[in-house]
Amino acid sequence: MAEVVPKWRAVLLDFIERAGWSAGQVFFATLLAGGVGSVIDLPWGYSLTLAVSAFVSSLILTAVQYLSKLTNLAFWPDLLTRLAKTFLASLSGSMVAGAFDITTFDWESALNVAFLATVASLAKGLLAREPAAPNGQVPPGASPSTLPMGTYREAVDHAPPPPTVAATNPPDGTAGSVADGQSGVVLGETGGARPAAGDPP
């Protein structure tokens, strides 16, 4: 039996999953954009700064998406939304890390990093899709999230929760029952009320 995750925890995990992947994708995209060189020459500090900025940007963009109630999407719209958010998070991270100045900002490098991060996000979304799609068709329950399916659906679903058993019970708990000594109704037979079997005449 699948574990039931509370709504608040599922939403929190969804925020962390989205922001964490954005940060990781931007981090490695920044390293790759710096070219092939020795480990010492790679821009580790700059990559880490961009990753943190992308993490924060992703949290903000995800919050906007939740407030707009645009989270419960089919696979392809969900994936395209994630790609756009990754691109924007990477670009805004580069702006913050570079103390943005439109006259000196290195747009080419920032766009290269954003492009590589977006491609990585696309690959992650396609690999995370489950269950496996036969003949290229996307199953109805598929998502680009790496969270367990139940947790992800609990996070993005805006439908009110089903009523509990206690909420559906009559107020006093006795409505619809037959008091002792009164005539009952035999279920499955027509003719209205008559003494139930075992009742006194």
Side-chain angles (χ1 to χ4, degrees), residues 5-72:
V5 179
K7 181 75 172 180
W8 68 268
R9 185 180 178 187
V11 171
L12 177 63
L13 290 174
D14 188 40
F15 268 74
I16 294 175
E17 192 267 351
R18 295 173 191 254
W21 274 104
S22 293
Q25 289 153 1
V26 169
F27 178 80
F28 287 106
T30 308
L31 292 179
L32 292 175
V36 179
S38 66
V39 175
I40 298 176
D41 295 333
L42 291 176
W44 294 103
Y46 186 66
S47 299
L48 184 59
T49 302
L50 257 65
V52 173
S53 299
F55 185 90
V56 175
S57 298
S58 179
L59 289 178
I60 295 172
L61 292 172
T62 301
V64 172
Q65 189 178 358
Y66 265 86
L67 291 174
S68 304
K69 294 187 176 181
L70 297 175
T71 54
N72 196 4

Short mmCIF file of all heavy atoms in Angstrom, two decimals, residues 5-72:
data_model
loop_
_atom_site.label_atom_id
_atom_site.label_comp_id
_atom_site.label_asym_id
_atom_site.label_seq_id
_atom_site.Cartn_x
_atom_site.Cartn_y
_atom_site.Cartn_z
N VAL A 5 1.10 10.87 1.81
CA VAL A 5 1.92 12.00 2.21
C VAL A 5 1.01 13.19 2.48
O VAL A 5 0.13 13.49 1.66
CB VAL A 5 2.93 12.35 1.10
CG1 VAL A 5 3.78 13.55 1.49
CG2 VAL A 5 3.81 11.15 0.81
N PRO A 6 1.18 13.88 3.60
CA PRO A 6 0.35 15.07 3.87
C PRO A 6 0.53 16.12 2.76
O PRO A 6 1.59 16.21 2.14
CB PRO A 6 0.89 15.57 5.21
CG PRO A 6 1.55 14.40 5.84
CD PRO A 6 2.09 13.57 4.71
N LYS A 7 -0.51 16.91 2.55
CA LYS A 7 -0.50 17.91 1.49
C LYS A 7 0.68 18.87 1.62
O LYS A 7 1.39 19.15 0.65
CB LYS A 7 -1.82 18.68 1.50
CG LYS A 7 -1.96 19.72 0.41
CD LYS A 7 -2.22 19.09 -0.93
CE LYS A 7 -2.55 20.12 -1.99
NZ LYS A 7 -2.81 19.51 -3.30
N TRP A 8 0.90 19.41 2.82
CA TRP A 8 1.96 20.39 3.02
C TRP A 8 3.33 19.81 2.70
O TRP A 8 4.18 20.48 2.11
CB TRP A 8 1.93 20.94 4.45
CG TRP A 8 2.31 19.92 5.51
CD1 TRP A 8 1.48 19.10 6.21
CD2 TRP A 8 3.64 19.63 5.95
NE1 TRP A 8 2.20 18.31 7.06
CE2 TRP A 8 3.52 18.61 6.95
CE3 TRP A 8 4.91 20.11 5.64
CZ2 TRP A 8 4.63 18.08 7.60
CZ3 TRP A 8 6.02 19.58 6.28
CH2 TRP A 8 5.87 18.58 7.26
N ARG A 9 3.52 18.55 3.07
CA ARG A 9 4.81 17.91 2.82
C ARG A 9 5.01 17.65 1.33
O ARG A 9 6.11 17.82 0.80
CB ARG A 9 4.91 16.61 3.60
CG ARG A 9 6.27 15.93 3.49
CD ARG A 9 6.32 14.64 4.27
NE ARG A 9 7.59 13.96 4.13
CZ ARG A 9 7.85 12.76 4.59
NH1 ARG A 9 6.91 12.09 5.25
NH2 ARG A 9 9.03 12.21 4.40
N ALA A 10 3.93 17.24 0.65
CA ALA A 10 4.03 16.99 -0.78
C ALA A 10 4.37 18.28 -1.53
O ALA A 10 5.21 18.28 -2.45
CB ALA A 10 2.71 16.41 -1.30
N VAL A 11 3.75 19.39 -1.14
CA VAL A 11 4.03 20.68 -1.78
C VAL A 11 5.47 21.10 -1.51
O VAL A 11 6.18 21.57 -2.40
CB VAL A 11 3.04 21.76 -1.29
CG1 VAL A 11 3.46 23.14 -1.79
CG2 VAL A 11 1.63 21.43 -1.76
N LEU A 12 5.92 20.93 -0.27
CA LEU A 12 7.30 21.28 0.08
C LEU A 12 8.31 20.46 -0.74
O LEU A 12 9.29 21.00 -1.28
CB LEU A 12 7.53 21.06 1.57
CG LEU A 12 8.95 21.32 2.09
CD1 LEU A 12 9.32 22.79 1.89
CD2 LEU A 12 9.06 20.94 3.56
N LEU A 13 8.06 19.16 -0.87
CA LEU A 13 8.94 18.31 -1.65
C LEU A 13 8.93 18.71 -3.12
O LEU A 13 9.97 18.64 -3.80
CB LEU A 13 8.52 16.84 -1.49
CG LEU A 13 8.77 16.21 -0.12
CD1 LEU A 13 8.17 14.81 -0.06
CD2 LEU A 13 10.27 16.16 0.18
N ASP A 14 7.77 19.12 -3.62
CA ASP A 14 7.70 19.55 -5.02
C ASP A 14 8.53 20.81 -5.25
O ASP A 14 9.23 20.94 -6.25
CB ASP A 14 6.24 19.79 -5.40
CG ASP A 14 6.06 20.04 -6.89
OD1 ASP A 14 6.74 19.36 -7.69
OD2 ASP A 14 5.28 20.92 -7.26
N PHE A 15 8.44 21.77 -4.31
CA PHE A 15 9.26 23.00 -4.40
C PHE A 15 10.74 22.64 -4.43
O PHE A 15 11.51 23.15 -5.25
CB PHE A 15 8.96 23.91 -3.22
CG PHE A 15 7.89 24.92 -3.49
CD1 PHE A 15 6.55 24.54 -3.54
CD2 PHE A 15 8.19 26.25 -3.67
CE1 PHE A 15 5.55 25.46 -3.77
CE2 PHE A 15 7.19 27.20 -3.91
CZ PHE A 15 5.86 26.80 -3.96
N ILE A 16 11.15 21.76 -3.51
CA ILE A 16 12.57 21.40 -3.41
C ILE A 16 13.02 20.64 -4.65
O ILE A 16 14.14 20.85 -5.15
CB ILE A 16 12.80 20.56 -2.14
CG1 ILE A 16 12.54 21.41 -0.89
CG2 ILE A 16 14.22 20.01 -2.11
CD1 ILE A 16 12.63 20.64 0.41
N GLU A 17 12.16 19.74 -5.16
CA GLU A 17 12.53 18.97 -6.35
C GLU A 17 12.75 19.88 -7.54
O GLU A 17 13.76 19.75 -8.27
CB GLU A 17 11.42 17.95 -6.65
CG GLU A 17 11.79 16.89 -7.68
CD GLU A 17 11.39 17.25 -9.10
OE1 GLU A 17 10.66 18.25 -9.29
OE2 GLU A 17 11.82 16.56 -10.02
N ARG A 18 11.86 20.83 -7.76
CA ARG A 18 11.98 21.74 -8.90
C ARG A 18 13.21 22.64 -8.76
O ARG A 18 14.00 22.78 -9.70
CB ARG A 18 10.71 22.59 -9.03
CG ARG A 18 9.45 21.79 -9.37
CD ARG A 18 8.23 22.70 -9.31
NE ARG A 18 6.97 21.99 -9.37
CZ ARG A 18 6.17 21.95 -10.44
NH1 ARG A 18 6.52 22.58 -11.54
NH2 ARG A 18 5.03 21.31 -10.41
N ALA A 19 13.34 23.26 -7.59
CA ALA A 19 14.46 24.19 -7.38
C ALA A 19 15.80 23.46 -7.35
O ALA A 19 16.80 23.97 -7.87
CB ALA A 19 14.25 24.96 -6.08
N GLY A 20 15.84 22.27 -6.76
CA GLY A 20 17.08 21.51 -6.70
C GLY A 20 17.59 21.11 -8.07
O GLY A 20 18.78 21.25 -8.36
N TRP A 21 16.67 20.65 -8.93
CA TRP A 21 17.08 20.28 -10.27
C TRP A 21 17.52 21.51 -11.06
O TRP A 21 18.49 21.44 -11.82
CB TRP A 21 15.93 19.57 -11.00
CG TRP A 21 15.88 18.10 -10.73
CD1 TRP A 21 15.01 17.43 -9.92
CD2 TRP A 21 16.76 17.10 -11.27
NE1 TRP A 21 15.28 16.09 -9.91
CE2 TRP A 21 16.35 15.85 -10.73
CE3 TRP A 21 17.84 17.13 -12.13
CZ2 TRP A 21 16.98 14.66 -11.05
CZ3 TRP A 21 18.48 15.94 -12.46
CH2 TRP A 21 18.05 14.73 -11.92
N SER A 22 16.82 22.63 -10.91
CA SER A 22 17.23 23.85 -11.61
C SER A 22 18.63 24.27 -11.19
O SER A 22 19.47 24.62 -12.03
CB SER A 22 16.24 24.99 -11.32
OG SER A 22 14.98 24.72 -11.89
N ALA A 23 18.91 24.22 -9.90
CA ALA A 23 20.23 24.60 -9.40
C ALA A 23 21.31 23.67 -9.95
O ALA A 23 22.37 24.12 -10.40
CB ALA A 23 20.24 24.59 -7.87
N GLY A 24 21.05 22.36 -9.92
CA GLY A 24 22.02 21.41 -10.43
C GLY A 24 22.28 21.56 -11.91
O GLY A 24 23.42 21.49 -12.38
N GLN A 25 21.20 21.79 -12.67
CA GLN A 25 21.35 21.94 -14.11
C GLN A 25 22.14 23.20 -14.45
O GLN A 25 23.01 23.19 -15.33
CB GLN A 25 19.96 21.97 -14.76
CG GLN A 25 19.27 20.62 -14.75
CD GLN A 25 17.76 20.71 -14.76
OE1 GLN A 25 17.18 21.81 -14.80
NE2 GLN A 25 17.10 19.57 -14.73
N VAL A 26 21.87 24.30 -13.75
CA VAL A 26 22.60 25.54 -13.99
C VAL A 26 24.06 25.40 -13.57
O VAL A 26 24.97 25.89 -14.25
CB VAL A 26 21.93 26.71 -13.25
CG1 VAL A 26 22.81 27.96 -13.27
CG2 VAL A 26 20.57 27.01 -13.87
N PHE A 27 24.29 24.69 -12.47
CA PHE A 27 25.66 24.51 -11.97
C PHE A 27 26.52 23.80 -13.02
O PHE A 27 27.61 24.28 -13.39
CB PHE A 27 25.63 23.72 -10.68
CG PHE A 27 27.00 23.43 -10.10
CD1 PHE A 27 27.67 24.40 -9.38
CD2 PHE A 27 27.60 22.19 -10.28
CE1 PHE A 27 28.93 24.15 -8.86
CE2 PHE A 27 28.86 21.93 -9.76
CZ PHE A 27 29.52 22.91 -9.05
N PHE A 28 26.05 22.66 -13.53
CA PHE A 28 26.83 21.90 -14.49
C PHE A 28 26.86 22.58 -15.86
O PHE A 28 27.85 22.48 -16.58
CB PHE A 28 26.30 20.48 -14.59
CG PHE A 28 26.62 19.64 -13.40
CD1 PHE A 28 25.65 19.32 -12.47
CD2 PHE A 28 27.92 19.19 -13.17
CE1 PHE A 28 25.96 18.56 -11.35
CE2 PHE A 28 28.24 18.43 -12.06
CZ PHE A 28 27.24 18.11 -11.14
N ALA A 29 25.77 23.29 -16.20
CA ALA A 29 25.78 24.03 -17.46
C ALA A 29 26.82 25.14 -17.44
O ALA A 29 27.48 25.40 -18.45
CB ALA A 29 24.39 24.62 -17.73
N THR A 30 27.00 25.78 -16.30
CA THR A 30 28.01 26.83 -16.17
C THR A 30 29.41 26.26 -16.30
O THR A 30 30.28 26.85 -16.95
CB THR A 30 27.87 27.56 -14.82
OG1 THR A 30 26.52 28.00 -14.66
CG2 THR A 30 28.79 28.77 -14.76
N LEU A 31 29.63 25.10 -15.70
CA LEU A 31 30.94 24.46 -15.83
C LEU A 31 31.22 24.08 -17.28
O LEU A 31 32.33 24.28 -17.79
CB LEU A 31 31.00 23.21 -14.95
CG LEU A 31 31.00 23.43 -13.43
CD1 LEU A 31 31.05 22.09 -12.72
CD2 LEU A 31 32.16 24.31 -13.00
N LEU A 32 30.19 23.53 -17.97
CA LEU A 32 30.39 23.13 -19.36
C LEU A 32 30.58 24.34 -20.27
O LEU A 32 31.35 24.29 -21.23
CB LEU A 32 29.19 22.30 -19.83
CG LEU A 32 29.03 20.92 -19.19
CD1 LEU A 32 27.73 20.27 -19.65
CD2 LEU A 32 30.21 20.03 -19.51
N ALA A 33 29.87 25.42 -19.96
CA ALA A 33 29.99 26.62 -20.79
C ALA A 33 31.37 27.26 -20.67
O ALA A 33 31.79 28.00 -21.56
CB ALA A 33 28.91 27.64 -20.41
N GLY A 34 32.08 26.95 -19.59
CA GLY A 34 33.42 27.49 -19.40
C GLY A 34 34.46 26.81 -20.25
O GLY A 34 35.62 27.23 -20.25
N GLY A 35 34.07 25.76 -20.97
CA GLY A 35 35.01 25.07 -21.83
C GLY A 35 35.69 23.92 -21.13
O GLY A 35 35.59 23.75 -19.91
N VAL A 36 36.38 23.11 -21.90
CA VAL A 36 37.09 21.95 -21.36
C VAL A 36 38.47 22.40 -20.90
O VAL A 36 39.24 22.97 -21.66
CB VAL A 36 37.21 20.84 -22.41
CG1 VAL A 36 37.97 19.66 -21.84
CG2 VAL A 36 35.83 20.41 -22.89
N GLY A 37 38.77 22.16 -19.65
CA GLY A 37 40.07 22.54 -19.11
C GLY A 37 40.35 21.71 -17.88
O GLY A 37 39.66 20.74 -17.59
N SER A 38 41.38 22.08 -17.17
CA SER A 38 41.71 21.36 -15.95
C SER A 38 40.67 21.65 -14.88
O SER A 38 39.94 22.65 -14.94
CB SER A 38 43.09 21.77 -15.45
OG SER A 38 43.09 23.13 -15.05
N VAL A 39 40.59 20.77 -13.91
CA VAL A 39 39.62 20.93 -12.83
C VAL A 39 39.86 22.23 -12.07
O VAL A 39 38.91 22.92 -11.66
CB VAL A 39 39.70 19.73 -11.87
CG1 VAL A 39 38.79 19.94 -10.66
CG2 VAL A 39 39.35 18.45 -12.60
N ILE A 40 41.11 22.62 -11.94
CA ILE A 40 41.43 23.85 -11.19
C ILE A 40 40.93 25.08 -11.93
O ILE A 40 40.50 26.06 -11.32
CB ILE A 40 42.95 23.94 -10.96
CG1 ILE A 40 43.42 22.75 -10.13
CG2 ILE A 40 43.33 25.25 -10.28
CD1 ILE A 40 44.92 22.70 -9.92
N ASP A 41 40.98 25.03 -13.27
CA ASP A 41 40.61 26.20 -14.06
C ASP A 41 39.10 26.37 -14.22
O ASP A 41 38.66 27.41 -14.72
CB ASP A 41 41.25 26.11 -15.45
CG ASP A 41 42.77 26.17 -15.38
OD1 ASP A 41 43.28 26.78 -14.42
OD2 ASP A 41 43.42 25.59 -16.27
N LEU A 42 38.31 25.38 -13.86
CA LEU A 42 36.86 25.48 -14.02
C LEU A 42 36.30 26.53 -13.06
O LEU A 42 36.79 26.70 -11.94
CB LEU A 42 36.19 24.12 -13.76
CG LEU A 42 36.45 23.04 -14.81
CD1 LEU A 42 35.82 21.72 -14.37
CD2 LEU A 42 35.93 23.45 -16.17
N PRO A 43 35.24 27.24 -13.49
CA PRO A 43 34.67 28.32 -12.66
C PRO A 43 33.77 27.78 -11.54
O PRO A 43 32.55 27.96 -11.56
CB PRO A 43 33.88 29.15 -13.67
CG PRO A 43 33.45 28.15 -14.71
CD PRO A 43 34.58 27.16 -14.81
N TRP A 44 34.36 27.13 -10.55
CA TRP A 44 33.57 26.50 -9.48
C TRP A 44 32.78 27.53 -8.68
O TRP A 44 31.59 27.34 -8.42
CB TRP A 44 34.49 25.70 -8.56
CG TRP A 44 35.13 24.53 -9.22
CD1 TRP A 44 36.42 24.44 -9.66
CD2 TRP A 44 34.52 23.27 -9.53
NE1 TRP A 44 36.66 23.22 -10.24
CE2 TRP A 44 35.52 22.48 -10.17
CE3 TRP A 44 33.26 22.75 -9.36
CZ2 TRP A 44 35.27 21.18 -10.61
CZ3 TRP A 44 33.01 21.45 -9.80
CH2 TRP A 44 33.99 20.69 -10.41
N GLY A 45 33.46 28.60 -8.26
CA GLY A 45 32.79 29.60 -7.44
C GLY A 45 31.65 30.28 -8.17
O GLY A 45 30.55 30.46 -7.64
N TYR A 46 31.90 30.66 -9.43
CA TYR A 46 30.86 31.30 -10.22
C TYR A 46 29.69 30.35 -10.47
O TYR A 46 28.52 30.75 -10.43
CB TYR A 46 31.46 31.78 -11.54
CG TYR A 46 30.53 32.60 -12.40
CD1 TYR A 46 30.10 33.85 -11.99
CD2 TYR A 46 30.08 32.11 -13.63
CE1 TYR A 46 29.23 34.61 -12.77
CE2 TYR A 46 29.22 32.85 -14.42
CZ TYR A 46 28.80 34.10 -13.99
OH TYR A 46 27.95 34.83 -14.77
N SER A 47 30.01 29.09 -10.73
CA SER A 47 28.96 28.09 -10.97
C SER A 47 28.09 27.91 -9.74
O SER A 47 26.86 27.81 -9.83
CB SER A 47 29.58 26.75 -11.36
OG SER A 47 30.32 26.86 -12.55
N LEU A 48 28.73 27.89 -8.57
CA LEU A 48 27.97 27.73 -7.33
C LEU A 48 27.08 28.94 -7.07
O LEU A 48 25.92 28.81 -6.64
CB LEU A 48 28.93 27.52 -6.16
CG LEU A 48 28.28 27.24 -4.80
CD1 LEU A 48 27.43 25.98 -4.88
CD2 LEU A 48 29.35 27.09 -3.72
N THR A 49 27.60 30.14 -7.37
CA THR A 49 26.80 31.36 -7.19
C THR A 49 25.59 31.34 -8.11
O THR A 49 24.47 31.67 -7.68
CB THR A 49 27.66 32.60 -7.49
OG1 THR A 49 28.80 32.61 -6.62
CG2 THR A 49 26.86 33.87 -7.28
N LEU A 50 25.78 30.95 -9.35
CA LEU A 50 24.66 30.87 -10.29
C LEU A 50 23.65 29.81 -9.86
O LEU A 50 22.43 30.01 -10.01
CB LEU A 50 25.17 30.56 -11.70
CG LEU A 50 25.22 31.76 -12.66
CD1 LEU A 50 26.22 32.79 -12.16
CD2 LEU A 50 25.58 31.30 -14.07
N ALA A 51 24.15 28.69 -9.32
CA ALA A 51 23.25 27.63 -8.89
C ALA A 51 22.36 28.09 -7.74
O ALA A 51 21.15 27.82 -7.73
CB ALA A 51 24.06 26.41 -8.47
N VAL A 52 22.94 28.80 -6.78
CA VAL A 52 22.15 29.31 -5.65
C VAL A 52 21.12 30.32 -6.15
O VAL A 52 19.95 30.31 -5.73
CB VAL A 52 23.07 29.94 -4.59
CG1 VAL A 52 22.24 30.63 -3.51
CG2 VAL A 52 23.97 28.88 -3.97
N SER A 53 21.53 31.19 -7.07
CA SER A 53 20.60 32.18 -7.62
C SER A 53 19.47 31.50 -8.39
O SER A 53 18.31 31.90 -8.29
CB SER A 53 21.35 33.15 -8.55
OG SER A 53 22.36 33.85 -7.85
N ALA A 54 19.82 30.44 -9.14
CA ALA A 54 18.79 29.71 -9.88
C ALA A 54 17.84 28.99 -8.92
O ALA A 54 16.64 28.88 -9.20
CB ALA A 54 19.44 28.71 -10.83
N PHE A 55 18.36 28.49 -7.80
CA PHE A 55 17.53 27.81 -6.80
C PHE A 55 16.47 28.78 -6.26
O PHE A 55 15.28 28.46 -6.20
CB PHE A 55 18.40 27.30 -5.67
CG PHE A 55 17.67 26.48 -4.63
CD1 PHE A 55 17.56 25.11 -4.77
CD2 PHE A 55 17.10 27.09 -3.53
CE1 PHE A 55 16.88 24.35 -3.82
CE2 PHE A 55 16.42 26.34 -2.58
CZ PHE A 55 16.31 24.97 -2.73
N VAL A 56 16.92 29.99 -5.90
CA VAL A 56 15.98 30.99 -5.36
C VAL A 56 14.99 31.42 -6.42
O VAL A 56 13.78 31.56 -6.15
CB VAL A 56 16.76 32.20 -4.81
CG1 VAL A 56 15.80 33.30 -4.36
CG2 VAL A 56 17.67 31.78 -3.66
N SER A 57 15.46 31.64 -7.64
CA SER A 57 14.57 32.05 -8.72
C SER A 57 13.51 30.98 -9.00
O SER A 57 12.34 31.30 -9.24
CB SER A 57 15.37 32.31 -10.00
OG SER A 57 16.29 33.36 -9.82
N SER A 58 13.92 29.72 -8.96
CA SER A 58 12.97 28.63 -9.19
C SER A 58 11.91 28.58 -8.10
O SER A 58 10.73 28.33 -8.37
CB SER A 58 13.72 27.29 -9.27
OG SER A 58 12.82 26.23 -9.47
N LEU A 59 12.33 28.80 -6.85
CA LEU A 59 11.35 28.84 -5.75
C LEU A 59 10.31 29.92 -5.98
O LEU A 59 9.10 29.71 -5.78
CB LEU A 59 12.06 29.07 -4.42
CG LEU A 59 12.91 27.93 -3.86
CD1 LEU A 59 13.58 28.36 -2.55
CD2 LEU A 59 12.08 26.67 -3.63
N ILE A 60 10.77 31.10 -6.42
CA ILE A 60 9.84 32.22 -6.65
C ILE A 60 8.90 31.90 -7.80
O ILE A 60 7.68 32.11 -7.70
CB ILE A 60 10.63 33.51 -6.94
CG1 ILE A 60 11.43 33.91 -5.69
CG2 ILE A 60 9.69 34.64 -7.36
CD1 ILE A 60 12.38 35.06 -5.92
N LEU A 61 9.44 31.37 -8.90
CA LEU A 61 8.60 31.05 -10.06
C LEU A 61 7.61 29.93 -9.73
O LEU A 61 6.46 29.95 -10.20
CB LEU A 61 9.49 30.64 -11.24
CG LEU A 61 10.34 31.75 -11.85
CD1 LEU A 61 11.31 31.18 -12.87
CD2 LEU A 61 9.46 32.82 -12.47
N THR A 62 8.03 28.96 -8.93
CA THR A 62 7.12 27.88 -8.54
C THR A 62 6.01 28.41 -7.64
O THR A 62 4.86 27.98 -7.75
CB THR A 62 7.90 26.76 -7.82
OG1 THR A 62 8.91 26.26 -8.70
CG2 THR A 62 6.97 25.61 -7.43
N ALA A 63 6.36 29.34 -6.75
CA ALA A 63 5.34 29.96 -5.89
C ALA A 63 4.30 30.70 -6.73
O ALA A 63 3.09 30.61 -6.47
CB ALA A 63 6.00 30.91 -4.90
N VAL A 64 4.76 31.41 -7.76
CA VAL A 64 3.83 32.10 -8.66
C VAL A 64 2.93 31.08 -9.37
O VAL A 64 1.72 31.29 -9.52
CB VAL A 64 4.61 32.95 -9.68
CG1 VAL A 64 3.66 33.51 -10.75
CG2 VAL A 64 5.34 34.08 -8.98
N GLN A 65 3.51 29.97 -9.79
CA GLN A 65 2.74 28.94 -10.47
C GLN A 65 1.69 28.34 -9.55
O GLN A 65 0.55 28.09 -9.96
CB GLN A 65 3.69 27.85 -10.97
CG GLN A 65 3.02 26.84 -11.88
CD GLN A 65 3.99 25.80 -12.41
OE1 GLN A 65 5.19 25.85 -12.13
NE2 GLN A 65 3.50 24.85 -13.19
N TYR A 66 2.05 28.10 -8.30
CA TYR A 66 1.08 27.56 -7.34
C TYR A 66 -0.02 28.57 -7.04
O TYR A 66 -1.21 28.21 -6.94
CB TYR A 66 1.78 27.16 -6.04
CG TYR A 66 2.16 25.70 -5.99
CD1 TYR A 66 3.36 25.25 -6.53
CD2 TYR A 66 1.33 24.75 -5.41
CE1 TYR A 66 3.71 23.90 -6.49
CE2 TYR A 66 1.66 23.42 -5.37
CZ TYR A 66 2.86 23.00 -5.91
OH TYR A 66 3.20 21.67 -5.87
N LEU A 67 0.35 29.83 -6.87
CA LEU A 67 -0.66 30.85 -6.58
C LEU A 67 -1.62 31.02 -7.75
O LEU A 67 -2.79 31.37 -7.55
CB LEU A 67 0.03 32.18 -6.25
CG LEU A 67 0.80 32.22 -4.92
CD1 LEU A 67 1.56 33.53 -4.77
CD2 LEU A 67 -0.14 32.01 -3.74
N SER A 68 -1.13 30.78 -8.95
CA SER A 68 -1.98 30.86 -10.14
C SER A 68 -2.77 29.58 -10.38
O SER A 68 -3.57 29.52 -11.32
CB SER A 68 -1.12 31.17 -11.37
OG SER A 68 -0.38 32.35 -11.19
N LYS A 69 -2.51 28.55 -9.57
CA LYS A 69 -3.15 27.25 -9.71
C LYS A 69 -2.95 26.66 -11.10
O LYS A 69 -3.86 26.15 -11.74
CB LYS A 69 -4.65 27.34 -9.38
CG LYS A 69 -4.91 27.68 -7.92
CD LYS A 69 -6.39 27.60 -7.57
CE LYS A 69 -6.61 27.86 -6.08
NZ LYS A 69 -8.03 27.76 -5.70
N LEU A 70 -1.69 26.74 -11.57
CA LEU A 70 -1.33 26.20 -12.87
C LEU A 70 -0.33 25.07 -12.73
O LEU A 70 0.64 24.96 -13.49
CB LEU A 70 -0.73 27.31 -13.75
CG LEU A 70 -1.66 28.47 -14.09
CD1 LEU A 70 -0.91 29.55 -14.85
CD2 LEU A 70 -2.86 27.98 -14.90
N THR A 71 -0.55 24.22 -11.73
CA THR A 71 0.39 23.13 -11.47
C THR A 71 -0.13 21.77 -11.95
O THR A 71 0.68 20.91 -12.32
CB THR A 71 0.69 23.02 -9.97
OG1 THR A 71 -0.55 22.91 -9.25
CG2 THR A 71 1.44 24.26 -9.48
N ASN A 72 -1.42 21.57 -11.95
CA ASN A 72 -1.99 20.27 -12.32
C ASN A 72 -2.13 20.20 -13.84
O ASN A 72 -3.22 20.38 -14.39
CB ASN A 72 -3.33 20.05 -11.64
CG ASN A 72 -3.76 18.59 -11.69
OD1 ASN A 72 -3.03 17.73 -12.16
ND2 ASN A 72 -4.95 18.31 -11.22
#
